[in-house]
Amino acid sequence: MRCATLRVPLDYARPDGPQISLTVSRVPASGRGGAARQGALVHNPGGPGASGMFFPLLADRPAWARVAAAYDLVGYAPRGVGRSAPLDCQDPAERPHGPTQVPAQPSAAYKRARLAAARAYARGCARHAGAALGQYTTLNNARDLDVLRAALGEPRLTFIGASYGTYLGAVYATRHPDRVRRMVFDSAVDPDPRRIWYRNNLGQAPGFERRWADFRAWAARHHATYGLGTTGRAVRASYEKVRAAVARDPAGGVVGTGELHAAYLQTAYYDDVWPERAAALAAFLRGDPGPLVRQAARDPRTAAEAANATAVYTAVLCNDAPWPADWGTWDRDSTELARRAPFEAWTNTFLNLPCASWPVPARRRPVDVGAPPGRLPGTLIVAAERDGATPHRGALELQGRLGARAALVTEQRAGAHGVVGGRNACVDRHVERYLLTGATPGWRVTCAPHPEPAPVSLDDRAASTSRALLPPAV
């Protein structure tokens, strides 16, 4: 893999003004099997706040081998991320250190404390970024993407975006339909301007509630392995026992209810963590907190990266669109939502709350995504039917806005966030065929779900594997 930097304007209204450098990575097309090179394939993994610098390293993975034979695989860190004009909103001493205790039902006093913390966080973003804070936006990310396309020598862009990366790709396609060659949208954000971003975040809670129920049902089916209960309700009771225990006495002195919830929120994103999370609960209830500590404790080695990801996530979402400024609106909406979908509702509210007092006065109106008829080539959307982070209705909305040449592949009865790249062979075949030939499978087609993960015994190494938590995903 080779790396480089790309110079772009900090403010595109001042193209000759201050410049920033974005980091870029590339592995050239292998040409394996005599494949002809088709150009560069650029990847954005979402967030916003995630770095795509790793993407070229997938070239040797079986799921990417044929694509990597024909394309240079290109990753990059968007503005604000990693070494690309990095954005931070807190000094290291201000970052949260475990254990943290989060009430299941936030009291009025707790809400006031979180509101004060959100305001302080927003002020910290302004203090660290200064006048540049308003330049972290999806529109600027799309402009940067076009500069990258040109720097790579590509007359038209071939792109794959996941999660927030689908919204970035959709905005790019709206602004530059004639510069699009092929685009894959993996786990699509709902691009309706009325939902960017406050309503989309509210809309995640029911989906996460379903996925949390999916995990509990899976653990119940494997009661013989884990002993957490034979029904989803019983598994939830086992989780609540662990929650009550770490509220009284943090596991290993570092895992409180905040760290516990963050770790188990990952079960709603990715079912490949189900075996280790179930095993950690089982081990804790049998007197061994070690696996839970290893999976849930904050890792000081990744603290700076996580803080950077959260800062970029916050800045882009807050800058992109107007948010309610009145705490009463947030409180009313979140209270109502938490009555039917409590697992993620308040967590997401407090994550996004800095946007209520965001210190950038000129909020942008979201882009009205859509391309003029006939100007955008065929595109491919892939989505999981039960995805919580980007509910399936977003894929339907995006398809309707991109027009008749946008195809949708749905993985039925599955909900892992991020469908492309080895989880489902049927989905990967459609994506590979599209990238290599431009052919789409039809208006709407389906794939059977990928197999559920197999359970692991408490002696299995997976029961104690540490897995880095990913940045927030829209």
Side-chain angles (χ1 to χ4, degrees):
M1 184 168 78
R2 299 186 65 187
C3 296
T5 56
L6 176 73
R7 300 285 286 174
V8 299
L10 173 64
D11 180 355
Y12 279 88
R14 300 172 58 204
D16 297 324
Q19 304 276 302
I20 59 175
S21 292
L22 311 185
T23 57
V24 183
S25 57
R26 178 170 63 180
V27 162
S30 71
R32 189 174 301 158
R37 182 181 178 276
Q38 295 196 39
L41 171 61
V42 179
H43 178 252
N44 182 287
S51 172
M53 289 292 288
F54 69 90
F55 179 60
L57 298 178
L58 300 180
D60 288 333
R61 298 285 182 91
W64 292 98
R66 292 190 64 201
V67 172
Y71 286 96
D72 301 350
L73 299 191
V74 176
Y76 73 109
R79 61 171 57 204
V81 178
R83 299 179 185 178
S84 296
L87 176 65
D88 283 297
C89 292
Q90 294 174 309
D91 296 326
E94 297 175 307
R95 294 172 189 158
H97 301 281
T100 56
Q101 301 294 1
V102 177
Q105 298 290 336
S107 65
Y110 183 79
K111 292 175 184 178
R112 286 194 297 271
R114 293 302 300 262
L115 180 58
R119 289 170 174 162
Y121 188 85
R123 290 193 299 270
C125 295
R127 185 176 68 252
H128 282 262
L133 184 59
Q135 300 303 327
Y136 297 92
T137 67
T138 297
L139 271 174
N140 277 346
N141 285 337
R143 292 167 177 137
D144 293 344
L145 188 58
D146 198 48
V147 176
L148 176 58
R149 172 202 59 77
L152 291 168
E154 300 293 334
R156 293 186 297 156
L157 177 69
T158 304
F159 176 82
I160 180 167
S163 193
Y164 165 78
T166 67
Y167 182 62
L168 169 60
V171 169
Y172 183 94
T174 299
R175 293 174 60 85
H176 305 296
D178 297 327
R179 298 180 197 170
V180 173
R181 180 176 178 269
R182 290 169 196 165
M183 274 196 171
V184 178
F185 303 89
D186 181 5
S187 305
V189 166
D190 188 333
D192 185 337
R194 296 168 297 182
R195 300 192 65 84
I196 303 293
W197 286 105
Y198 181 70
R199 291 291 169 192
N200 266 343
N201 274 278
L202 290 177
Q204 287 182 323
F208 277 110
E209 201 69 29
R210 287 191 299 272
R211 290 298 288 160
W212 175 230
D214 288 347
F215 164 69
R216 300 194 321 265
W218 174 88
R221 290 195 293 275
H222 298 292
H223 174 69
T225 299
Y226 301 116
L228 296 175
T230 58
T231 66
R233 180 175 295 182
V235 174
R236 179 165 54 193
S238 293
Y239 174 82
E240 292 299 334
K241 287 180 184 178
V242 175
R243 192 184 191 285
V246 301
R248 293 189 304 268
D249 182 17
V254 293
V255 175
T257 56
E259 289 76 23
L260 178 75
H261 185 263
Y264 282 83
L265 189 59
Q266 295 298 300
T267 65
Y269 280 98
Y270 313 111
D271 54 22
D272 59 358
V273 307
W274 289 1
E276 62 191 52
R277 294 295 191 266
L281 289 179
F284 185 94
L285 292 170
R286 295 181 188 184
D288 177 12
L292 182 64
V293 171
R294 287 188 286 272
Q295 292 179 38
R298 298 173 188 269
D299 187 345
R301 296 169 299 180
T302 60
E305 181 181 353
N308 170 239
T310 301
V312 176
Y313 166 89
T314 305
V316 172
L317 266 64
C318 295
N319 284 331
D320 265 4
W323 290 72
D326 175 33
W327 161 244
T329 300
W330 294 70
D331 192 19
R332 181 187 65 248
D333 290 344
S334 300
T335 298
E336 172 60 30
L337 190 60
R339 291 192 182 104
R340 52 192 171 89
F343 184 60
E344 187 251 7
W346 281 110
T347 299
N348 210 25
T349 294
F350 295 135
L351 172 66
N352 294 299
L353 194 51
C355 295
S357 56
W358 193 241
V360 175
R363 305 294 183 92
R364 291 164 172 78
R365 293 179 61 84
V367 174
D368 192 7
V369 165
R375 290 186 59 189
L376 189 66
T379 56
L380 182 63
I381 305 164
V382 294
E385 189 174 39
R386 295 178 66 81
D387 188 349
T390 52
H392 190 260
R393 67 166 179 269
L396 301 176
E397 178 71 20
L398 178 60
Q399 185 184 34
R401 286 174 171 269
L402 293 183
R405 299 189 66 190
L408 171 60
V409 176
T410 297
E411 185 184 22
Q412 295 180 305
R413 303 184 306 281
H417 186 58
V419 186
V420 178
R423 227 180 226 117
N424 187 303
C426 170
V427 171
D428 287 347
R429 282 194 298 272
H430 287 302
V431 172
E432 181 182 273
R433 178 170 175 260
Y434 168 70
L435 288 174
L436 295 180
T437 69
T440 54
W443 175 239
R444 290 180 182 168
V445 299
T446 59
C447 287
H450 65 275
E452 286 189 337
V456 297
S457 72
L458 296 186
D459 295 328
D460 194 291
R461 288 182 60 188
S464 60
T465 298
S466 175
R467 183 182 297 268
L469 302 184
L470 297 179
V474 175

